[in-house]
Amino acid sequence: MTRNAAERLLCAAKSSEIEQLSRLAETCAVVGDISRFVHALQRERGSSCIYLASGGDRFAGQRQKRIQDCLDAEESLRQRLENWTQPEAKQDNRYVADARLLHRVAAVWHGFDALPSIRDDIGVQRVSADDAMRLFNRLISNLLSVIFEAADTASDADVTRALVCLFHFIQGKELAGQERACGAFGFTLGEFDAAHRDSMRQLIDAQRRCLDTFVEFASLDTLTRWQEELERPVHADILRLRELACQNATLPADLESPGEQWYAIATLRVDAMQGLEERLIEELHATCRDKIATAKREARDSTGLLANLHSELWSATPSLLQDSSENPVASQLEGITANAMDSRFSRSLIDLVQTQSARLQSISDELESTRKTLRERKLIERAKGLLMTHQKLSEEQAYRLLRKTAMDQSKPLASVAQSVIDLADMLSRHDV
């Protein structure tokens, strides 16, 4: 059966939608592999810190096992990203990722290539535990930025929400992994100096902020599982050891192998979070699959697509039907407008237009709200980095300064962050 022009256009629109969703699904598949690689890196980072803090006496075997786990996870991710390493190669005549994502992936690939030498330096104890942690943190940060960009550029509201939820949970788990490594270093040494106590406090506070955002975007099922996780005894053990690490006092002498004890308990917590993270990834994949299946089903039903024209909104309510007294041209058409308004069909059409307009506006507002959250977070993180660099502040001190300034000036935190960025840019241009 030959399709008319309207049906062909509608089918073409559905094909375009399916293509966009398929590309988004591919990006989400990469996100899953990134999650697993980050988890492997987190475990290698923790065992490396204990190995270095103990002068090579502890965790040598565990570290080698973690390295092999990382190599396996890295290979899976490399295979997934192979198409992305050749931007000139196209898939179905379209790029598999946009420019910003490709830029982030380039930074990740650079980190892959640097890992062997980092491991060699750790093996011969050529670097300190703190330096090793910073090197691992940098690579993990680049990996997480790929997820951030995926969330920031996603075109579907439901997929965006799932990505935002996943990103903040993974970031919260990464901070928990950094806390594990920092704690392992202090407990293995048998004491926490002021710098490491401050780091522990900052990491704990940053985790809370990330997980609060995760809770805002999580589904009801996810929230239930997260609450069940928080009630496990391991979290009470974490709180007890945190208090010892953050107090301005020497650790109790009767602690038995406190470094390994902390690492084991913190690992139980991080591994449990990884379990929930896998569920979030599956939710993300399921959302993509459902969206694609629905679009394909609709594409096969060209008659149904054509019928939906009567209930779809293609534009806002025509201006011809609004404020005619203030528009000379519209004024001349008042009779036509009045006749059109008297038509029962036209009144029904206008009602449908207004209903659909409200629905589409609601979806648009929801997507924009999610992206606004991401943009504001970017501004705040960048402003914190500038304050840390130029004012020699810690991350927590920079955040508190931004928050206090916002309260004193009765301005949104993102607005104050933007002012800091603008000032830094102005000073930078002046220096040039």
Side-chain angles (χ1 to χ4, degrees):
M1 179 179 177
T2 303
R3 293 174 174 175
N4 62 31
E7 288 176 321
R8 291 197 299 273
L9 286 168
L10 289 170
C11 288
K14 276 297 170 185
S15 295
S16 178
E17 180 184 345
I18 291 168
E19 181 184 344
Q20 290 176 4
L21 287 169
S22 298
R23 292 175 62 195
L24 189 53
E26 175 62 23
T27 300
C28 291
V30 170
V31 166
D33 285 332
I34 286 175
S35 164
R36 286 178 276 276
F37 183 45
V38 166
H39 186 64
L41 281 171
Q42 289 167 339
R43 301 186 80 180
E44 182 184 347
R45 177 182 58 195
S47 60
S48 296
C49 282
I50 290 184
Y51 174 80
L52 290 169
S54 66
D57 292 336
R58 296 180 179 176
F59 269 45
Q62 289 94 325
R63 175 174 170 267
Q64 292 303 317
K65 174 65 169 61
R66 300 309 178 212
I67 290 174
Q68 187 56 54
D69 292 342
C70 262
L71 291 173
D72 294 340
E74 179 185 332
E75 180 59 27
S76 296
L77 181 56
R78 280 182 182 268
Q79 290 177 5
R80 181 79 70 178
L81 291 174
E82 191 59 39
N83 287 338
W84 292 19
T85 64
Q86 302 174 20
E88 69 277 9
K90 293 185 178 181
Q91 188 178 57
D92 298 329
N93 296 320
R94 294 189 183 273
Y95 291 117
V96 296
D98 68 11
R100 288 195 301 178
L101 272 174
L102 289 172
H103 180 80
R104 298 298 188 185
V105 171
V108 167
W109 211 270
H110 182 69
F112 286 160
D113 296 337
L115 266 175
S117 62
I118 293 173
R119 288 171 176 143
D120 289 343
D121 288 343
I122 292 173
V124 297
Q125 302 178 55
R126 193 178 294 131
V127 295
S128 68
D130 285 340
D131 288 338
M133 186 167 174
R134 279 190 287 271
L135 291 168
F136 277 108
N137 291 354
R138 185 181 306 162
L139 175 55
I140 291 173
S141 176
N142 286 331
L143 287 160
L144 293 184
S145 72
V146 175
I147 303 176
F148 188 97
E149 291 298 342
D152 199 28
T153 57
S155 56
D156 183 271
D158 292 330
V159 176
T160 300
R161 281 198 302 273
L163 280 166
V164 170
C165 178
L166 176 62
F167 169 77
H168 283 90
F169 189 78
I170 292 179
Q171 189 175 40
K173 184 168 76 70
E174 160 56 9
L175 292 165
Q178 290 185 29
E179 182 192 6
R180 173 178 61 184
C182 182
F185 178 73
F187 279 115
T188 299
L189 286 179
E191 63 178 349
F192 284 82
D193 57 23
H196 287 89
R197 281 198 303 272
D198 189 50
S199 293
M200 290 288 284
R201 294 184 185 117
Q202 291 180 41
L203 288 167
I204 292 166
D205 189 52
Q207 284 175 69
R208 177 187 54 76
R209 294 198 301 272
C210 284
L211 294 174
D212 283 348
T213 305
F214 147 73
V215 166
E216 290 181 24
F217 289 92
S219 66
L220 181 60
D221 178 66
T222 298
L223 287 177
T224 300
R225 294 178 182 276
W226 177 237
Q227 189 57 46
E228 290 173 353
E229 169 58 30
L230 292 177
E231 293 172 358
R232 293 176 64 225
V234 66
H235 292 277
D237 294 335
I238 288 285
L239 291 176
R240 177 177 58 83
L241 291 174
R242 276 177 173 175
E243 289 179 1
L244 293 176
C246 294
Q247 67 184 4
N248 295 325
T250 305
L251 293 174
D254 59 349
L255 287 178
E256 183 178 351
S257 300
E260 295 183 24
Q261 181 185 153
W262 161 263
Y263 185 82
I265 293 172
T267 296
L268 285 175
R269 176 179 179 241
V270 172
D271 287 351
M273 293 179 75
Q274 175 65 11
L276 183 56
E277 190 174 301
E278 289 289 346
R279 293 193 64 87
L280 289 172
I281 292 169
E282 180 51 40
E283 281 187 11
L284 177 63
H285 292 332
T287 300
C288 289
R289 288 195 300 268
D290 291 346
K291 293 280 183 178
I292 293 172
T294 299
K296 287 182 176 179
R297 187 169 57 252
E298 292 174 346
R300 290 191 295 269
D301 183 14
S302 59
T303 303
L305 288 175
L306 192 60
N308 285 339
L309 280 174
H310 298 295
S311 60
E312 289 283 348
L313 172 67
W314 306 109
S315 63
T317 305
S319 59
L320 176 65
L321 304 180
Q322 300 173 354
D323 301 326
S324 60
S325 60
E326 299 178 7
N327 187 325
V329 176
S331 182
Q332 298 173 14
L333 301 173
E334 282 183 352
I336 299 175
T337 301
N339 290 334
M341 291 293 287
D342 285 340
S343 164
R344 182 168 60 84
F345 170 78
S346 294
R347 286 198 304 271
S348 299
L349 180 59
I350 291 167
D351 288 342
L352 288 170
V353 161
Q354 291 173 339
T355 300
Q356 185 72 349
S357 177
R359 184 179 71 84
L360 291 178
Q361 187 61 50
S362 175
I363 294 173
S364 177
D365 289 347
E366 194 170 356
L367 183 57
E368 180 56 31
S369 175
T370 301
R371 286 183 170 164
K372 181 182 178 184
T373 299
L374 288 170
R375 288 194 296 270
E376 289 180 349
R377 184 175 180 83
K378 269 186 177 179
L379 289 174
I380 294 168
E381 291 300 319
R382 186 179 171 194
K384 281 197 307 184
L386 289 169
L387 290 173
M388 291 165 65
T389 299
H390 296 289
Q391 300 298 319
K392 309 302 180 186
L393 301 176
S394 68
E395 182 180 6
E396 180 61 22
Q397 288 171 332
Y399 179 75
R400 286 178 179 172
L401 178 57
L402 287 172
R403 187 170 57 186
K404 183 178 185 303
T405 303
M407 293 175 64
D408 291 345
Q409 298 181 3
S410 298
K411 290 183 177 180
L413 188 58
S415 177
V416 173
Q418 183 64 64
S419 298
V420 171
I421 294 168
D422 292 343
L423 178 60
D425 290 343
M426 182 182 69
L427 294 175
S428 176
R429 289 194 296 271
H430 180 71
D431 290 340
V432 173

